[in-house]
Amino acid sequence: KAGVTQTPRYLIKTRGQQVTLSCSPISGHRSVSWYQQTPGQGLQFLFEYFSETQRNKGNFPGRFSGRQFSNSRSEMNVSTLELGDSALYLCASSLGAGPRSGANVLTFGAGSRLTVL
Amino acid sequence: AQSVTQLGSHVSVSEGALVLLRCNYSSSVPPYLFWYVQYPNQGLQLLLKYTTGATLVKGINGFEAEFKKSETSFHLTKPSAHMSDAAEYFCAVSSPLVFGKGTRLSVIA
């Protein structure tokens, strides 16, 4: 079955612009998580959505936002871009349900590489 | 809050030698622990996970890890390194999934 699909794969923006990244999860997966990966900070958790509701949120400013649609597809938006937002943004999906949902395996997409000039 | 510490940002081994990547975690509840691998320009791929039960967990590509509660450790090992093992390895604790800084493994011919 198809994996996690992220679009676009590469994009270049300038400071002050905004960007929207898209993620299509594996069919049947209802949880989508987003991560920012940079050489200095490593992999940092942005947020997790389950059934269109934000279930967890990392320590990022309000410029970073996301949403999930009824078909489980998710988007994240970064407004007023800064140079430090240049990163690989990874989306991951999982089944996400049940009291032991933390044991679910996250399946990652290939990422969207954002460069801010 | 849960956290993970990976000792050594870069590990270099000879082909055929033992691979040992160290991971220590902090968690206020019984943890779910994972190892992921990332090849250049790709996303992360699951190697193995520990949830409950047997503390020695076997994963793909000959890797295994042992959960030691008393040491709060979840070190990753492989008896014999192969050139194709060169990649970045991440230890993580859930939930939500929180990653360590990663260890880059180089394999020398």
Side-chain angles (χ1 to χ4, degrees):
Chain A
K1 59 184 176 182
V4 178
T5 302
Q6 292 189 244
T7 57
R9 287 293 313 278
Y10 302 91
L11 66 166
I12 300 173
K13 294 285 187 179
T14 57
R15 280 181 299 174
Q17 287 187 310
Q18 73 164 5
V19 66
T20 299
L21 309 178
S22 179
C23 173
S24 293
I26 288 174
S27 178
H29 283 191
R30 295 165 61 192
S31 172
V32 172
S33 299
W34 288 90
Y35 290 82
Q36 181 195 64
Q37 185 176 24
T38 59
Q41 298 299 317
L43 279 156
Q44 293 188 284
F45 172 72
L46 280 157
F47 25 66
E48 179 198 5
Y49 287 87
F50 177 75
S51 293
E52 302 180 67
T53 300
Q54 188 178 85
R55 189 156 67 175
N56 281 299
K57 187 178 189 303
N59 188 26
F60 276 81
R63 300 185 297 108
F64 292 81
S65 63
R67 59 178 176 169
Q68 186 180 33
F69 302 97
S70 58
N71 61 359
S72 293
R73 192 177 69 84
S74 177
E75 289 181 347
M76 67 161 285
N77 182 275
V78 187
S79 63
T80 319
L81 284 166
E82 301 176 358
L83 295 178
D85 297 333
S86 294
L88 180 67
Y89 289 89
L90 291 165
C91 167
S93 74
S94 71
L95 292 169
R100 296 185 71 231
S101 62
N104 290 338
V105 172
L106 268 63
T107 301
F108 283 80
S112 292
R113 185 167 295 281
L114 170 66
T115 301
V116 182
L117 302 176
Chain B
Q2 300 181 114
S3 65
V4 169
T5 301
Q6 291 184 240
L7 298 176
S9 59
H10 185 209
V11 170
S12 185
V13 301
S14 298
E15 191 173 22
L18 171 72
V19 175
L20 171 60
L21 304 182
R22 300 178 187 274
C23 171
N24 288 90
Y25 69 90
S26 173
S27 176
S28 57
V29 297
Y32 299 128
L33 295 162
F34 302 78
W35 276 98
Y36 280 83
V37 61
Q38 186 178 33
Y39 298 99
N41 298 315
Q42 295 186 26
L44 280 73
Q45 178 184 0
L46 178 73
L47 278 176
L48 48 81
K49 70 173 184 178
Y50 168 79
T51 54
T52 59
T55 56
L56 183 62
V57 180
K58 295 187 184 299
I60 62 172
N61 301 337
F63 284 94
E64 62 182 36
E66 186 171 11
F67 170 64
K68 291 187 177 181
K69 184 178 179 181
S70 61
E71 299 177 7
T72 61
S73 69
F74 191 56
H75 301 331
L76 181 71
T77 60
K78 182 175 180 177
S80 177
H82 191 272
M83 296 297 290
S84 61
D85 295 327
E88 186 135 23
Y89 292 79
F90 294 92
C91 182
V93 62
S94 176
S95 127
L97 202 61
V98 174
F99 288 89
K101 294 286 190 184
T103 298
R104 181 167 299 280
L105 175 66
S106 297
V107 182
I108 304 167

